[in-house]
């Protein structure tokens, strides 16, 4: 069965490029990003893992732990990590799961047989500290993901987890947000002392509350 938003992310123990890891222990109280790629020693995947390593400070700042996955072996991952470090000018500093029996790929719905009978597609899951799944995306093998978009979604999730707001189209950290529909307009001044604009009764904006 496919995972859906709000579901609890299944725990697992896995062989990785950094040894055997229990997923929940690895995450601890952090947010998590778990993402699959089709295969080691492939060009798009090389750039994706390089970009993820280059963004390490951004993930740390947001209290996010990252873990990648492919169905190749630990030995293959280790050789490939050397190539990524060399060609992308980074140090890969997160584990890559060797899901050779595809059990984790199956549990997370990373195998899309009509797209590829052998490899995982580019799936990505954002997991909250309570282990619930907050975002699921699946990209085809030929399209590398936009990791700025992943950071943007994490910013939105972390903001909306603590404030009664939602983030509009193309929102970026620091920009105005929309007041949650559940908040009555007459209650906005007390909850959002920075002020608000009522564009329509259902469309109220306010400066980002935690900035
Ligand atoms: C890549 O990562 O470059 C890739 C992997 C599978 C199919 C196409 C591209």
């Amino acid at each position: 069965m496919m995972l859906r938003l709000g579901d609890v992310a299944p725990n697992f123990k896995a062989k990785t490029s950094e040894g055997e890891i229990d997923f929940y222990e690895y995450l601890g109280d952090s947010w998590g990003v778990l993402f699959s790629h089709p295969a080691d020693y492939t060009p798009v995947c090389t750039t994706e893992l390089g970009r993820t390593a280059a963004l390490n400070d951004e993930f740390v700042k947001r209290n996010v732990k990252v873990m990648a996955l492919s169905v190749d072996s630990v030995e293959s991952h280790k050789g490939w990590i050397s190539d990524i470090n060399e060609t992308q000018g980074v140090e890969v500093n997160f584990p890559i799961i060797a899901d050779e029996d595809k059990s984790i790929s199956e549990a997370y719905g990373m195998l899309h047989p009509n797209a590829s009978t052998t490899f995982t597609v580019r799936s990505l899951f954002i997991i909250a500290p309570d282990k619930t799944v907050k975002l699921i995306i699946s990209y085809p093998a030929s399209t590398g993901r936009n990791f700025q978009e992943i950071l943007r979604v994490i910013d939105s999730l972390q903001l909306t987890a603590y404030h009664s707001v939602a983030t509009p189209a193309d929102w970026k950290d620091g920009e105005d947000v929309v007041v949650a529909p559940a908040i009555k307009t007459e209650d906005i001044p007390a909850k959002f002392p920075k002020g608000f604009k009522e564009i329509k009764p259902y469309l109220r904006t306010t400066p980002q509350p935690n900035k």
Side-chain angles (χ1 to χ4, degrees):
M1 206 180 78
M2 292 288 273
L3 276 179
R4 296 181 191 171
L5 299 188
D7 290 354
V8 174
N11 194 23
F12 53 81
K13 284 191 174 47
K15 286 189 192 146
T16 81
S17 53
E18 298 186 358
E20 180 131 339
I21 288 181
D22 177 288
F23 187 49
Y24 278 14
E25 275 177 24
Y26 172 74
L27 291 177
D29 294 329
S30 301
W31 290 71
V33 169
L34 174 68
F35 65 113
S36 57
H37 54 267
D40 294 1
Y41 296 104
T42 49
V44 176
C45 301
T46 300
T47 62
E48 284 195 325
L49 295 208
R51 183 53 49 88
T52 305
L55 290 171
N56 177 58
D57 290 352
E58 297 298 322
F59 287 111
V60 169
K61 205 160 82 184
R62 291 165 176 82
N63 188 29
V64 178
K65 295 224 173 129
V66 170
M67 201 184 255
L69 174 150
S70 86
V71 298
D72 295 311
S73 68
V74 167
E75 289 66 37
S76 167
H77 288 350
K78 286 186 176 165
W80 183 41
I81 285 170
S82 299
D83 279 9
I84 298 169
N85 291 345
E86 178 196 325
T87 61
Q88 308 300 302
V90 295
E91 277 296 318
V92 169
N93 45 11
F94 51 85
I96 307 177
I97 297 167
D99 190 32
E100 288 181 281
D101 70 0
K102 300 186 177 153
S103 56
I104 300 164
S105 312
E106 290 280 5
Y108 276 81
M110 295 164 167
L111 293 161
H112 294 212
N114 292 324
S116 167
T117 49
T118 34
F119 301 128
T120 48
V121 295
R122 297 186 194 284
S123 294
L124 185 146
F125 300 81
I126 297 178
I127 297 163
D130 68 359
K131 309 294 182 288
T132 56
V133 175
K134 295 296 184 189
L135 174 88
I136 302 173
I137 56 169
S138 290
Y139 274 41
S142 50
T143 305
R145 286 157 285 201
N146 182 333
F147 287 84
Q148 292 298 335
E149 170 63 0
I150 305 310
L151 293 172
R152 192 189 75 89
V153 176
I154 292 166
D155 286 340
S156 173
L157 287 167
Q158 293 186 340
L159 173 68
T160 58
Y162 300 110
H163 298 274
S164 301
V165 297
T167 58
D170 296 338
W171 172 86
K172 288 196 217 64
D173 191 40
E175 294 179 354
D176 285 0
V177 297
V178 298
V179 177
I183 307 292
K184 290 188 188 140
T185 298
E186 59 266 33
D187 295 335
I188 293 178
K191 276 189 163 287
F192 298 98
K194 290 180 183 172
F196 75 103
K197 280 187 219 144
E198 183 176 11
I199 298 155
K200 288 280 179 192
Y202 58 85
L203 176 57
R204 295 88 38 97
T205 61
T206 187
Q208 185 172 329
N210 63 349
K211 285 283 164 179

